[in-house]
Amino acid sequence: MISQENVAGPTTEVLHVWHVGIVGDFPGGMAQVVNEYLSWKLPNLIQNAILTTRGKRDPKALYLFFVAILKILSLRDSRASTVLVFHVSERGSFIREGSLLALSRLIGLATVAQLHGANFDEFADKHGKLVRWILANAHKVLVLSSDSQATLSRLGITSSISRNPVSAPENRDKLAKQKWIIFCGELSKRKGVDVLLSAWEGLQNRGDWVLHLVGPVAWEGIHDKSFDDIHVYGALEHEEAMKLCMQSSIAVLPSRDEALPMFLLEAMIRNCAVISTPVGQIGALLSEDCGRLVDVGDADSLSRELDSLIENQDLRKRIASNGLNRVMHGYSTAVVRVQLESYWRDAFSQSRNKK
């Protein structure tokens, strides 16, 4: 259980917010989102987290689940000032965090369901009754995209759109950019790492540029590719991954499925020129020359875009600058946290009014 306290201000009621899900230095955007929330220093807000899993195939998952049940039950006496935010994706996460959400509502706690996951819309279409029943226990439902909002609307569920927040690193200008291209995320076909490696083979003028691949290996085919200018790290601590990102000039994520990947936001705020695919909310994020988009699975187009950015430093800098401005004005912590605190307080108010 992780805790972070803030100093209360004089006018607004102190609210205790508990984030339930994956938290800590684990791979995946959901953990980084919760870690970002816990780093905030907000007046009148005390934030904590209840760990329910450490990732896929966690051998301690059942133990953590029962510990979470006991912790939630212990919060019943503090429900007059408490909100639980459940960070939910599809499949097992929906059952695990969803059942804890239902328990929390049953004992009278204020609840928020915050939906993550690239395949949630497909999951909701297949399991509509389950999704409707679980989310009916939330006083507030938050989604990342208009597509997810429309999916839930078809199920009769009202939701609000919330953006993933990202903080500007303090040492952004202290590390010089290198001739590096970085990919961060699960090294899998879903994330398009196979397309990226094919595109790398097709580059015309990669010269002394180096490709850095960071993330847990989920596609064994990666071991069949052997180049001197490709570094495969596997999973790294977040700080180490972001240090590589800080020094990279280009970030690439040719995913087949996404919602709003944290890696792109983190790369853009670190002044990387970004290339990705128009899935989830990525198309909107990279519009108006804030990045480059290639079709899903199109290694040839990805090679051409990489060649273009490698050869043209001015283009690289322009795209990176545009991307940085977009993230700072639309996705930075300073912008997002005001909206989120409002959502959390709204959920608390609804829970009191429905008593």
Side-chain angles (χ1 to χ4, degrees):
M1 186 173 62
I2 299 170
S3 157
Q4 168 251 315
E5 294 193 6
N6 305 285
V7 178
T11 57
T12 305
E13 181 180 5
V14 175
L15 191 66
H16 296 251
V17 176
W18 289 83
H19 297 279
V20 184
I22 186 169
V23 56
D25 199 0
F26 299 108
M30 195 186 310
Q32 303 313 318
V33 169
V34 179
N35 293 343
E36 174 66 24
Y37 294 160
L38 291 171
S39 73
W40 296 351
K41 305 297 182 183
L42 297 176
N44 305 307
L45 199 67
I46 299 174
Q47 294 192 84
N48 306 271
I50 300 174
L51 179 67
T52 58
T53 180
R54 300 174 301 177
K56 293 181 179 179
R57 295 176 289 278
D58 181 3
K60 294 188 68 176
L62 188 59
Y63 168 77
L64 292 172
F65 179 75
F66 283 113
V67 171
I69 290 176
L70 294 175
K71 181 59 190 177
I72 288 170
L73 290 174
S74 76
L75 294 174
R76 184 174 184 177
D77 292 338
S78 63
R79 59 184 179 270
S81 62
T82 298
V83 175
L84 275 70
V85 182
F86 294 86
H87 296 273
V88 183
S89 60
E90 58 272 356
R91 296 185 292 275
S93 169
F94 201 85
I95 302 299
R96 182 179 57 245
E97 279 75 46
S99 60
L100 295 173
L101 167 62
L103 170 65
S104 301
R105 180 64 179 263
L106 180 65
I107 64 175
L109 292 166
T111 56
V112 175
Q114 187 158 338
L115 304 182
H116 308 256
N119 302 117
F120 175 77
D121 293 352
E122 180 182 348
F123 176 82
D125 285 336
K126 289 182 178 179
H127 305 282
K129 290 183 179 179
L130 173 66
V131 170
R132 189 183 299 111
W133 180 77
I134 291 292
L135 295 185
N137 292 287
H139 294 100
K140 193 81 175 178
V141 178
L142 305 180
V143 297
L144 290 174
S145 71
S146 55
D147 289 341
S148 294
Q149 193 173 43
T151 296
L152 293 183
S153 181
R154 290 196 296 272
L155 296 175
I157 299 167
T158 301
S159 61
S160 301
I161 295 178
S162 173
R163 291 176 168 178
N164 284 340
V166 61
S167 292
E170 295 179 359
N171 60 341
R172 183 170 55 205
D173 300 321
K174 294 181 180 179
L175 294 175
K177 291 292 185 182
Q178 308 293 325
K179 291 183 177 180
W180 293 356
I181 299 168
I182 190 167
F183 169 104
C184 281
E186 183 181 71
L187 302 180
S188 65
K189 286 190 172 183
R190 182 180 74 82
K191 291 283 188 175
V193 71
D194 56 321
V195 179
L196 176 55
L197 290 174
S198 294
W200 191 254
E201 292 183 56
L203 285 179
Q204 300 297 312
N205 300 299
R206 64 177 180 257
D208 54 353
W209 282 74
V210 176
L211 175 63
H212 297 273
L213 303 177
V214 179
V217 176
W219 175 55
E220 292 303 316
I222 197 168
H223 299 303
D224 299 330
K225 304 289 184 178
S226 178
F227 298 93
D228 292 336
D229 49 9
I230 297 179
H231 296 169
V232 181
Y233 294 86
L236 292 178
E237 291 187 359
H238 186 253
E239 183 178 349
E240 291 300 311
M242 291 302 101
K243 186 175 180 180
L244 288 173
C245 191
M246 187 87 72
Q247 297 172 86
S248 297
S249 297
I250 301 170
V252 60
L253 189 71
S255 291
R256 292 177 167 88
D257 290 298
E258 288 288 355
L260 180 60
M262 280 297 294
F263 167 55
L264 292 187
L265 298 175
E266 291 171 327
M268 292 165 77
I269 210 165
R270 287 167 175 80
N271 218 30
C272 296
V274 166
I275 306 174
S276 192
T277 48
V279 295
Q281 293 297 290
I282 296 175
L285 176 66
L286 302 187
S287 64
E288 298 175 357
D289 208 28
C290 290
R292 285 290 189 262
L293 293 168
V294 298
D295 289 338
V296 170
D298 192 339
D300 291 337
S301 292
L302 182 54
S303 286
R304 288 193 294 271
E305 291 293 351
L306 285 169
D307 269 324
S308 177
L309 292 181
I310 285 172
E311 293 173 4
N312 191 330
Q313 184 180 39
D314 290 339
L315 175 63
R316 234 176 24 244
K317 287 184 175 180
R318 187 183 78 235
I319 291 175
S321 178
N322 290 345
L324 173 61
N325 288 333
R326 168 150 295 174
V327 172
M328 289 298 293
H329 289 96
Y331 298 85
S332 66
T333 291
V335 173
V336 176
R337 68 186 182 187
V338 174
Q339 180 192 57
L340 275 174
E341 184 180 2
S342 174
Y343 286 154
W344 297 339
R345 290 191 178 277
D346 182 47
F348 178 72
S349 296
Q350 288 189 45
S351 72
R352 300 304 94 190
N353 293 336
K354 291 182 179 180
K355 276 195 162 299

